[in-house]
Amino acid sequence: MAWGFDTDLEFQGVLDWMDGFVKSKVEPLDMVLEDSYDVQNPDFIKLVRPLQSEVKERGLWACHLGPELGGPGFGQLKLALMNEILGRSRFAPIVFGCQAPDTGNAEILAHYGTEEHKAKYLQPLLDGELVSCFSMTEPHAGADPTMFKCMAVEDGDDFVINGEKWFSSNAKWASFLIVMTVTDLDAAPHARMTMFIVPADTPGINIIRNVGVGTEPRGDGSHGYIRYENVRVPKSNMLGARGQAFAVAQTRLGGGRIHHAMRTLGQIRKAFDMMCERALSRETKGERLADKQMVQEKIADSWIEMEQFRLLVLRTAWRIDQYNDYLKVRKDIAAIKALMPKVYHDIVSRALQIHGSLGVSNELPFTGMLISSYVMGLADGPTEVHKVTVARQILREYEPSGDLFPAYHLPRRRAEAITQYGDLIERELANW
Ligand SMILES: Cc1cc2nc3c(=O)[nH]c(=O)nc-3n(C[C@H](O)[C@H](O)[C@H](O)COP(=O)(O)OP(=O)(O)OC[C@H]3O[C@@H](n4cnc5c(N)ncnc54)[C@H](O)[C@@H]3O)c2cc1C
């Protein structure tokens, strides 16, 4: 039996290198470059490509991938420790070749793609030459995919797609989109939809606008509101079997959700570090903020919540490595997905408060982080839905009492105990 919380020395060396590299070379990119997915931008090519080469030389490129896909195969536990470092910076995931949603899309292509799909889409995606988009949510429905309407109708050797999609992240930068469509209206709700690869230059993909989050300028965001108008794709672009889109989507979501949690931990620690530095630096009424008990409470609560969340993420990652089956860790993944926005939100709120006016200003990142905490409660499914999953999974492990009073009703337990031990005890148990 092995039960420990140590990181082996050799791997700690890797983490230390990553930490130094991200702080000194990658975090500054967040200050000078706009969009981390604009891979054809000349400034991206000039600044980001050399750093990606350095990461590749170190054998740390695409650290989420197993050797079968050309990655180093660290497993989820080590990946959690790595992603915690990468989560500090907007550009770090792309510098290390493990950014969402491309990681999840790569998983889909690896599982369901043909050899041709792998050569044409998967390999360049893994090499970081292009980025991709996952186009599932619709303007009228998100959390309940059985309500989707975007249709793909068979026509000779092709399917023709018509309908709208909403919040298709990075559609404007993507070379291809993975689109979830209704193909079999009369089938059971979970067997109605089929997934397709749609190359971005296919005629009829009209981006109505790019929606931004929070205070991003209107029309200049990165989440595409797309109208697919007579978009024709060959049948060979189907991913998985017809009607299997739900299963295909699940392939990306398990890993995607825990990877978000790993990176969010990096953001949470960043906010926590800022809170502590400020508490030690700012004075009011003759003492440091750090000496005030209500500030101390904020720091203590934040550390406790951060460490609890971290342990849950690490244990979930460990369990994925043990079972190699996302279905067996559904409850754990849903739990961290539900917990993540709250811990992120609460710690950032305290950090913001401790910084006073500077905290709400646009000279510090807290307001953006607060919006991100809400994003984490929506992207890949709202918190409520994940809590339902946790509760359902837990309740499977219990049985109803089947009696008027519950199994743990004290009179009943006492009667059972008397039957079990009464003869051995001298006291008059029946008179209690
Ligand atoms: C930043 C960001 C990036 C995204 N990127 C993508 C992407 O790349 N591709 C893509 O396809 N989608 C993407 N999404 C969309 C995301 O998957 C949806 O926002 C999410 O599934 C919720 O759908 P909705 O926004 O339509 O909310 P709705 O379905 O309208 O739900 C609204 C609210 O209703 C409540 N609710 C919903 N269902 C339940 C329930 N069962 N029980 C209790 N309460 C409930 C919740 O409070 C929920 O937040 C992204 C979203 C964000 C914020």
Side-chain angles (χ1 to χ4, degrees), residues 55-56 59-67 69-74 79 82 93-99 103 125-127:
V55 168
K56 284 179 183 171
L60 295 173
W61 177 256
C63 43
H64 61 294
L65 292 178
L69 286 175
F74 286 107
L79 183 62
M82 297 167 112
I94 201 128
V95 167
F96 281 76
C98 56
Q99 71 285 355
T103 46
L125 189 64
L126 296 181
D127 292 342

Side-chain angles (χ1 to χ4, degrees), residues 134-138 141-144 166-169 213 223 375 378-382 384-385:
F134 186 68
S135 193
M136 174 173 158
T137 305
E138 301 192 358
D144 180 2
W166 169 249
F167 256 78
S168 294
S169 302
V213 293
H223 308 287
V375 166
L378 289 169
D380 293 344
E384 292 89 337
V385 173

Side-chain angles (χ1 to χ4, degrees), residues 310-374:
R310 183 169 193 261
L311 285 172
L312 198 55
V313 171
L314 292 177
R315 196 188 70 151
T316 304
W318 177 83
R319 287 170 67 106
I320 297 173
D321 287 342
Q322 297 300 305
Y323 305 132
N324 202 16
D325 179 357
Y326 280 113
L327 276 182
K328 288 201 174 139
V329 286
R330 237 184 119 193
K331 175 179 66 186
D332 309 66
I333 292 181
I336 51 176
K337 173 71 173 72
L339 181 58
M340 162 169 59
K342 176 160 172 46
V343 177
Y344 192 10
H345 173 273
D346 290 356
I347 294 177
V348 168
S349 299
R350 295 186 197 113
L352 179 153
Q353 182 73 14
I354 282 183
H355 281 79
S357 50
L358 187 60
V360 290
S361 75
N362 57 9
E363 296 182 1
L364 285 182
F366 297 125
T367 52
M369 287 169 133
L370 270 185
I371 295 290
S372 296
S373 75
Y374 287 97

